[in-house]
């Protein structure tokens, strides 16, 4: 009996592994901003400013503006930066005032951070 298989075998070329960028976020306290680095290149910043008072155990911090270099735009880097900044705020027991419109939109979509916002 002959081969009745309707499946044609083919070889798939080996796929090269995807290089993942090295990402780090630093608190540049001298400039009151969080810096986002991708492969050692500064690609984004989120500026902040301390307020005059405290709420509970933590300082009140205004998140002023988020900027990502145009060539890195529309890739989710601003979200990475904002999420890390909000996690840092939580770790430091900061209460935040979201001045930046991007941070406001992010908070609207990520309700797990709303407890950080000063009423």
């Amino acid at each position: 009996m002959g081969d009745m298989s309707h499946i044609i075998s083919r070889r798939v070329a080996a796929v090269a592994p995807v290089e993942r960028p090295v990402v780090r976020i630093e608190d540049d306290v001298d400039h009151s901003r969080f810096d986002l680095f991708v492969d050692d290149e500064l690609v984004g910043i989120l500026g902040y400013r301390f307020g005059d008072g405290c709420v509970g155990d933590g300082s009140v911090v205004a998140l002023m503006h988020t900027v990502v270099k145009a060539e890195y735009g529309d890739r989710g880097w601003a979200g990475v930066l904002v999420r890390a900044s909000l996690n840092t705020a939580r770790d430091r027991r900061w209460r935040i005032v979201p001045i930046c419109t991007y941070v406001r939109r992010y908070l609207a979509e990520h309700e797990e951070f709303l407890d950080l916002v000063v009423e």
Side-chain angles (χ1 to χ4, degrees), residues 22-89:
V22 175
V23 178
R24 77 178 190 282
I25 298 171
E26 297 178 358
D27 184 1
D28 181 349
V29 295
D30 292 335
H31 295 99
S32 298
R33 69 184 196 200
F34 293 105
D35 294 341
L36 168 66
F37 292 89
V38 177
D39 291 332
D40 292 323
E41 181 178 353
L42 178 63
V43 301
I45 62 169
L46 193 160
Y48 60 84
R49 184 179 71 213
F50 283 94
D52 294 332
C54 292
V55 175
D57 295 334
S59 299
V60 174
V61 178
L63 300 180
M64 303 301 294
H65 58 276
T66 304
V67 179
V68 173
K69 285 184 176 180
E71 61 267 30
Y72 286 87
D74 297 324
R75 296 188 207 173
W77 291 120
V80 169
L81 178 57
V82 170
R83 175 174 286 279
S85 300
L86 292 171
N87 281 326
T88 298

Side-chain angles (χ1 to χ4, degrees), residues 100-117:
C100 172
T101 56
Y102 184 86
V103 173
R104 287 183 187 180
R105 286 193 310 267
Y106 188 92
L107 288 167
E109 295 175 7
H110 297 87
E111 295 179 1
E112 67 271 23
F113 293 108
L114 288 178
D115 62 304
L116 299 174
V117 177

